[in-house]
Every structure is written in C-alpha cells, then in structure tokens.
Amino acid sequence: MFGVSAVAAQERLVLQGKVIEEKIHDRTLISKPGWLRGVHIVGAVQAASPQLVSVLPSGWSEFCGKLTSIGGDYSATVQFSQTPPMAETTTAELKFDTQFDFPSEATHENGGVVLEQGRCNTNAETEAVRSFMASFWNQAPEPKLEQGHLQIVLNMNVARAERLEHGASLGTDALPVRCDKLLSSDALAFNYRCSVFVPEPLMSQIADLPLMFQYQRFYRGRLSKPRTAKIYVGLGQ
C-alpha cells in the first residue's frame, strides 16, 4: 500500500487511487510523449516512506497521477476521484496499491510524480495550458527554504534541445527560474530539471494563487511552441 502516515494526518482528506497501469520496463526513450514528469515542493524533512501529500484545489473531482523513475524502468498511472468535489482547497493524502519497491525509495532526484486535473485517458498533451498539483514525495509537508525562497522542482522530458527559454510567474510577479540539463546516463524518462523559486514574501499568495510556468525548446535556430503549466502549490491549507 502506497500511503501516508504524517503528523495530523487525521485532519487531511485521504484518497485511494485506482491503479490503471503499473510496470517495470526493460528500457525507455527520452522521445516518449509527456513533457512534464514531476512537480514537487522541496521539503525540509524526510518522511517515513512511502508518503505522497498534495494540495487538492476546490472543484477538482478527478485527477490523474503519473509516476516514473528517472530511467523510465518504473512507471505507474493512477486515477483519483473525489465526488462531490471539495468546496474549499484542502490537503490530501494519496494512496494506491503497488507491487514494487520504487515508490518507497523515490525522491524528486531519482523520479517524478505529476498530478494533473482530469481523467487519465484524456489527451491533455494537446491543451495549451494544463493544470497540475505540486506534491511532497516521501518528505513531510514542510517546505525547505533556500536563501529565503521556496523551491518548486519540475522534472522535464525535452528531446533535442540546445537550450530552453523559460519563465514563471505568480500573479503579476515574475519568479526566478533555473533550468539544468541532466547529464547522467540514467536520465531517460526526463533529462531537464527546472527549479522555480518563490520568495518568502510571496509565499502567502500561493495558498490560493496558482504558479504559472512556461518554456520553449530552442533547436537548430528555431523555438518550439510554448508549453504552459498552471501549478497549484496550496501551502497553508
């Protein structure tokens, strides 16, 4: 059972997901579809794993969880539902039955979780703006501040990129972003990591206001169409 045993867990909504697919693969390729492979808040404290805690925005009745290891040898797709949807944004513990060890061993360094609004069988890749929830994975839901900034990590699958053009904002405020190509030979399911930094004075806003992240891939003198993620962080809920 993949779940949570955090402090004050009784105050959180607990959702049991339905596993659509969970596999160990022989190999993977960076050209596989799906540009965003992980959206995580960097936590200050490790948790007794396995543990997955996320904000659940008000009005979300369904969302799809996709998990992967950095090498792509492990992957899972899990459907979560909440009927009726919550009237207010809340914090949720996410559980699902697993057959493998990786979910207990994972961090945002060696894997990724994306939690996207909607059903798992929809083709969200065609949408101009996609909505995600950030999560704490095997970390207690207490953010770690780096030089006074909250750090949101995005693990990204970007094929054939010489560089990335990127930006992030919270409302009308631009946010610092750092993107690095992952040079490890294991970086097959995702090969870039972008970190968005939210200054401490703005952290009170992310309880209700989503963070916007956009990037374009530069390759052979041309920029790709922009990809945009609306990310709900929801700290303070």
Side-chain angles (χ1 to χ4, degrees):
M1 173 69 73
F2 182 95
V4 181
S5 56
V7 176
Q10 67 274 14
E11 299 176 3
R12 296 194 185 99
L13 176 68
V14 177
L15 292 182
Q16 178 74 31
K18 178 182 178 181
V19 177
I20 296 176
E21 182 179 66
E22 187 181 31
K23 287 185 177 180
I24 296 293
H25 306 268
D26 292 334
R27 64 191 297 267
T28 190
L29 296 173
I30 197 65
S31 59
K32 279 188 174 183
W35 70 269
L36 191 54
R37 296 296 177 90
V39 187
H40 299 283
I41 307 164
V42 177
V45 181
Q46 292 299 115
S49 61
Q51 177 169 291
L52 184 61
V53 178
S54 177
V55 63
L56 177 58
S58 62
W60 281 36
S61 59
E62 294 180 311
F63 61 96
C64 181
K66 292 187 177 181
L67 301 83
T68 186
S69 62
I70 188 171
D73 51 316
Y74 171 88
S75 69
T77 301
V78 185
Q79 182 72 58
F80 293 93
S81 301
Q82 172 65 17
T83 305
M86 300 296 292
E88 297 181 353
T89 298
T90 188
T91 302
E93 303 176 15
L94 307 179
K95 300 182 178 183
F96 68 91
D97 295 326
T98 179
Q99 305 177 58
F100 304 103
D101 295 331
F102 179 76
S104 297
E105 302 166 351
T107 70
H108 65 269
E109 297 284 340
N110 66 3
V113 178
V114 288
L115 303 167
E116 182 170 8
Q117 186 176 21
R119 293 196 61 79
C120 292
N121 58 1
T122 59
N123 187 13
E125 285 288 323
T126 61
E127 297 178 9
V129 180
R130 297 163 60 189
S131 295
F132 301 91
M133 298 154 28
S135 64
F136 291 93
W137 197 8
N138 291 336
Q139 292 181 319
E142 302 169 13
K144 177 182 179 181
L145 296 187
E146 181 176 314
Q147 298 181 347
H149 290 71
L150 170 75
Q151 185 177 357
I152 309 295
V153 168
L154 289 80
N155 290 328
M156 297 164 51
N157 174 350
V158 186
R160 298 186 302 278
E162 296 171 10
R163 71 171 190 270
L164 299 184
E165 300 284 344
H166 50 72
S169 61
L170 185 65
T172 58
D173 294 290
L175 301 175
V177 181
R178 183 183 72 227
C179 290
D180 299 302
K181 186 170 184 177
L182 303 179
L183 301 178
S184 169
S185 60
D186 293 332
L188 296 174
F190 52 87
N191 63 338
Y192 272 85
R193 179 169 289 127
C194 290
S195 294
V196 180
F197 299 93
V198 182
E200 195 168 5
L202 297 181
M203 284 180 59
S204 61
Q205 299 183 34
I206 59 176
D208 302 301
L209 194 63
L211 179 156
M212 302 296 293
F213 173 84
Q214 184 179 89
Y215 87 95
Q216 291 175 272
R217 173 179 57 89
F218 184 84
Y219 180 65
R220 291 184 176 179
R222 300 182 63 181
L223 280 173
S224 65
K225 292 182 180 179
R227 304 283 186 97
T228 303
K230 180 187 292 186
I231 302 170
Y232 292 85
V233 181
L235 293 176
Q237 298 297 336

